[in-house]
Amino acid sequence: MYYPSQCIPTLVEIESLLDAQPRTAAPLRISILRNITVESIEPYIRYCSSIIGYRAEVMFGDYDQILQNAILPQPGLLTSETDFVFVFAPLPMLSPSLDSGFPGLCAEEVEAELERLEGYFQAVLRGVRSHTDAPVLWFGLESPAYASLGIADDQQEGQAVAVQSLNARLKSALGGVSAAYFVNTDRCMTRLGIGQYYDLRYWQIARAPYTPMALAELAQESFKFVRAKLGWTKKCLVLDCDNTLWGGILGEDGKDGIKIGTDYPGSAYLDFQKEILGLYQRGVLLALCSKNNEADVLEVLDNHPNMLLRRDHFAAWRINWRDKAANLREIALELNIGIESLVFADDSEFETNLVREFLPQIKTLQLPSESPAKYRWILAASGAFDTPALTQEDTKRSDFYHHERQRRQVLAEATDLNSYYRTLCMKIQVGRADNTSVSRIAQQTQKTNQFNLTTRRYSQADVLRMVEADDWEVFFLRAEDRFGDMGVVGSCICQYNGDDAVIDTMLLSCRALGRGIEVCFLEEVLHLLAERKVSKVLGQYIATKKNAQVAAFYQNNGFVECFGCSGEGRWFGRELSNLGKRRLLHFAVVDSPLGRLEQSTI
């Protein structure tokens, strides 16, 4: 059963939609290396780009010249302007001997071919990286639908095992290169079914193996990575209640009459809750937006014996009779995330249409109330919360927001803001990035949009390369208070240039905003740079649609705007000779390998 991540229109409809796209949309330059005919994927790539506000410019390398184009690319194919590189290299063209000739190979010959192809993968990636730092998406090798050894293939280490080993070697090669990712084509084929995935006639005519449905699915799968790298991963799933989390209408059927449990249709809603719980465990925030009586809904969450999701799973809720667009705005404000970070799931066509009309930046999932068994698949297929990697911070994120709710309760009882801050007993730790923090720092660069001065996106390999370089310095900021550890909430990446330093990246998680922590972080970084005998620090602000709140950050913290600097955006400088004492506000710097213990001055 196939549930597309989003319904792709027909090619005629796509062209019409693309014609209406603003000409001012930012370009997204995608270069495709291939050993097959795959040009027909272009309109689907352009459509997926338009969904996130970009205008795709797709360039194809020469047919069956992947290695040659990686080493000596045609003009414009692999440059500093390239945004993404796609690689299509299916097995029949990559290795005829492992494909149709497998029965004639001995074990030694199979191993030799696997080693040859591993070297080929590495050579292609080295060639690509010598021309561009753009993320690479390499489409993996599909498992054989009919293995060369027939049913005997499953009884021994046959062709299927060889293909699995080849994919493992490809993943290993990709893992050794910054910003290089494996796209699982087997999953695409499984979702569609082999009959709708391959076009056998066009394979014979033009070495074009994929049907239009397969090309659409492959484009959508690749854009899960593209969205993540561009910072478009969603953060919060907002759910309706009646006929969404459970079957029936709570106000009419009562707590004991709603359908949730082991028997259908209640089992379908229970399965949906299992999928939601899996997202929660991956670090996705959950919220409720329901037209209901709040006390009734909370009673179900607290006491219904078959509910898998409980009150503590939800970071926020708006359970009232107001319009849902207004409630969704409030949820985003309460969680301190952008409205575009929300996904809204509801069975009501009226409600989803209203949200699409007034808040088009929110992704909406229309759940078919007549088919609750499809809910779980629809949510999973959306790919809205996909990221290339998960960190420890992800698994704790909901705890962080639970602690934030406790902080808000204390704030409501405080007489003034400073006394509130003092009661929190806040502490920060600034450290140099190491193997335990690199993945989190990379993730922050990919996902943080609001308090992010330059919005540069880096992979884990990118950050690790900076950590190991002599002319780069990568700092992390960890915070905690009396309610708990907030984890790594800030990152700062600096590049040294003689006696000067340039702040390449300065960002802070949205959950840490609003308490002055960014000022203390900057002060700590500046003092650490001064200890390294840096005389002047330059900071850059590159405006985006989401980071207007930090436009004056450097000016508000002792920097002076500089003119005539090369590079985009605005530049600010600060001499470190008169740095003065740290401004710690209401914080203490503790247990830091870089900073000294200093108590709050307020």
Side-chain angles (χ1 to χ4, degrees):
M1 194 175 294
Y2 171 58
Y3 300 102
S5 54
Q6 59 188 20
C7 295
I8 291 283
T10 65
L11 288 175
V12 173
E13 291 170 334
I14 285 176
E15 289 302 324
S16 177
L17 290 167
L18 292 174
D19 287 341
Q21 186 180 24
R23 301 299 178 189
T24 56
L28 187 66
R29 301 175 182 90
I30 297 175
S31 295
I32 298 180
L33 307 181
R34 48 32 182 290
N35 64 9
I36 56 172
T37 302
V38 74
E39 282 85 342
S40 297
I41 199 173
E42 181 174 357
Y44 302 109
I45 289 176
R46 292 172 62 206
Y47 173 75
C48 290
S49 297
S50 71
I51 294 299
I52 55 175
Y54 288 85
R55 173 176 46 82
E57 297 176 359
V58 185
M59 186 174 185
F60 292 87
D62 299 319
Y63 172 80
D64 200 19
Q65 299 288 302
I66 293 175
L67 181 57
Q68 295 88 332
N69 281 169
I71 296 173
L72 294 172
Q74 60 198 69
L77 184 65
L78 300 175
T79 73
S80 60
E81 300 297 316
T82 304
D83 293 307
F84 288 89
V85 179
F86 291 7
V87 183
F88 287 91
L91 188 65
M93 297 293 290
L94 189 65
S95 177
S97 61
L98 288 181
D99 182 47
S100 56
F102 190 84
L105 300 178
C106 66
E108 290 77 11
E109 290 170 325
V110 170
E111 180 60 27
E113 181 65 356
L114 292 175
E115 290 181 0
R116 180 189 74 81
L117 291 171
E118 184 175 9
Y120 172 83
F121 298 148
Q122 294 169 346
V124 170
L125 291 167
R126 282 197 303 269
V128 170
R129 274 293 165 264
S130 68
H131 301 287
T132 179
D133 291 328
V136 176
L137 304 183
W138 196 308
F139 291 75
L141 305 153
E142 293 97 348
S143 299
Y146 299 97
S148 294
L149 302 182
I151 59 175
D153 197 84
D154 295 318
Q155 319 310 315
Q156 60 193 66
E157 291 192 0
Q159 186 184 36
V161 172
V163 173
Q164 291 172 4
S165 176
L166 192 55
N167 275 328
R169 294 173 189 233
L170 172 57
K171 292 177 185 178
S172 177
L174 293 166
V177 177
S178 65
Y181 304 101
F182 179 87
V183 181
N184 195 320
T185 56
D186 255 1
R187 291 207 184 108
C188 298
M189 183 171 66
T190 298
R191 290 194 286 261
L192 280 177
I194 190 170
Q196 294 179 303
Y197 190 75
Y198 288 123
D199 190 320
L200 301 181
R201 180 169 175 268
Y202 273 92
W203 169 249
Q204 296 297 331
I205 293 173
R207 288 297 181 255
Y210 302 123
T211 66
M213 286 186 68
L215 293 170
E217 183 66 21
L218 290 166
Q220 291 181 93
E221 190 71 10
S222 67
F223 265 75
K224 294 175 183 177
F225 294 87
V226 173
R227 290 197 302 269
K229 292 297 290 181
L230 294 175
W232 282 84
T233 301
K234 305 296 185 180
K235 298 179 181 178
C236 178
L237 175 62
V238 187
L239 296 146
D240 177 43
C241 291
D242 292 336
N243 288 317
T244 299
L245 278 186
W246 54 71
I249 307 297
L250 179 60
E252 298 175 3
D253 302 319
K255 184 187 76 172
D256 297 329
I258 60 174
K259 297 176 176 62
I260 176 76
T262 56
D263 298 326
Y264 185 81
S267 58
Y269 295 99
L270 191 60
D271 268 1
F272 185 47
Q273 291 197 23
K274 290 177 182 177
E275 186 69 28
I276 296 167
L277 184 59
L279 291 176
Y280 172 86
Q281 291 165 342
R282 282 165 48 184
V284 175
L285 301 176
L286 303 181
L288 292 176
C289 184
S290 174
K291 288 184 175 177
N292 247 307
N293 291 322
E294 181 177 297
D296 295 342
V297 171
L298 296 180
E299 172 68 15
V300 171
L301 294 176
D302 291 340
N303 297 314
H304 196 290
N306 295 331
M307 283 290 292
L308 192 60
L309 296 173
R310 297 297 183 180
R311 185 194 299 219
D312 285 347
H313 288 119
F314 296 94
W317 55 78
R318 291 297 183 274
I319 305 169
N320 53 44
W321 301 99
R322 298 170 54 207
D323 78 86
K324 293 194 174 182
N327 281 333
L328 288 167
R329 290 190 186 96
E330 289 187 2
I331 287 172
L333 285 172
E334 178 178 338
L335 298 178
N336 203 12
I337 58 179
I339 193 74
E340 72 284 346
S341 297
L342 304 183
V343 174
F344 175 57
D346 198 320
D347 69 294
S348 168
E349 186 175 358
F350 170 81
E351 299 292 359
T352 53
N353 284 341
L354 181 142
V355 172
R356 289 190 185 107
E357 175 72 21
F358 291 101
L359 298 172
Q361 60 271 56
I362 291 180
K363 182 177 180 65
T364 57
L365 299 178
Q366 167 79 57
L367 303 175
S369 56
E370 71 282 0
S371 303
K374 296 180 179 180
Y375 286 11
R376 182 175 190 174
W377 287 80
I378 291 171
L379 178 57
S382 73
F385 304 100
D386 282 2
T387 58
L390 296 174
T391 70
Q392 284 187 335
E393 307 292 330
D394 293 317
T395 62
K396 298 177 181 178
R397 183 170 293 112
S398 294
D399 289 338
F400 297 149
Y401 279 87
H402 176 69
H403 296 153
E404 186 60 29
R405 198 157 57 236
Q406 294 176 306
R407 294 182 188 103
R408 287 197 298 270
Q409 292 172 354
V410 173
L411 176 60
E413 299 169 0
T415 56
D416 63 83
L417 201 55
N418 282 331
S419 65
Y420 163 67
Y421 286 144
R422 284 195 294 270
T423 64
L424 291 181
C425 303
M426 291 186 286
K427 304 173 184 178
I428 62 172
Q429 179 194 47
V430 178
R432 286 189 176 91
D434 52 23
N435 290 333
T436 62
S437 57
V438 161
S439 60
R440 170 59 178 163
I441 293 168
Q443 185 189 66
Q444 280 197 308
T445 70
Q446 295 164 16
K447 297 177 68 174
T448 305
N449 295 304
Q450 295 179 71
F451 196 102
N452 192 333
L453 275 297
T454 54
T455 324
R456 294 191 174 98
R457 312 298 186 186
Y458 292 120
S459 69
Q460 185 170 334
D462 293 329
V463 177
L464 187 59
R465 188 174 66 247
M466 295 172 187
V467 169
E468 295 173 346
D470 292 335
D471 57 340
W472 289 85
E473 194 91 81
V474 182
F475 302 104
F476 69 83
L477 170 70
R478 179 180 291 276
E480 65 175 288
D481 62 20
R482 68 185 178 92
F483 291 107
D485 184 3
M486 298 173 67
V488 174
V489 295
S491 300
C492 181
I493 300 174
C494 301
Q495 184 176 24
Y496 296 111
N497 182 16
D499 293 334
D500 296 342
V502 176
I503 299 178
D504 172 272
T505 295
M506 181 82 185
L507 59 83
L508 195 72
S509 172
C510 58
R511 68 172 182 266
L513 296 178
R515 62 191 72 188
I517 194 171
E518 65 278 7
V519 175
C520 293
F521 187 27
L522 178 62
E523 287 288 315
E524 280 294 297
V525 168
L526 293 179
H527 277 83
L528 293 168
L529 294 177
E531 290 174 7
R532 185 167 165 152
K533 308 306 181 185
V534 169
S535 59
K536 182 178 181 180
V537 176
L538 291 175
Q540 187 181 12
Y541 169 65
I542 300 175
T544 70
K545 294 179 180 178
K546 303 176 184 178
N547 71 351
Q549 66 172 286
V550 296
F553 176 70
Y554 284 124
Q555 289 170 301
N556 291 339
N557 287 281
F559 284 68
V560 177
E561 186 161 9
C562 306
F563 299 94
C565 296
S566 60
E568 61 182 319
R570 298 168 63 193
W571 289 85
F572 303 86
R574 180 169 172 177
E575 301 288 344
L576 297 188
S577 57
N578 58 351
L579 192 55
K581 189 178 179 180
R582 286 174 169 87
R583 291 183 297 161
L584 289 173
L585 305 179
H586 28 260
F587 293 88
V589 180
V590 297
D591 300 328
S592 173
L594 299 180
R596 297 184 299 274
L597 177 63
E598 298 195 29
Q599 286 301 126
S600 165
T601 58
I602 293 182

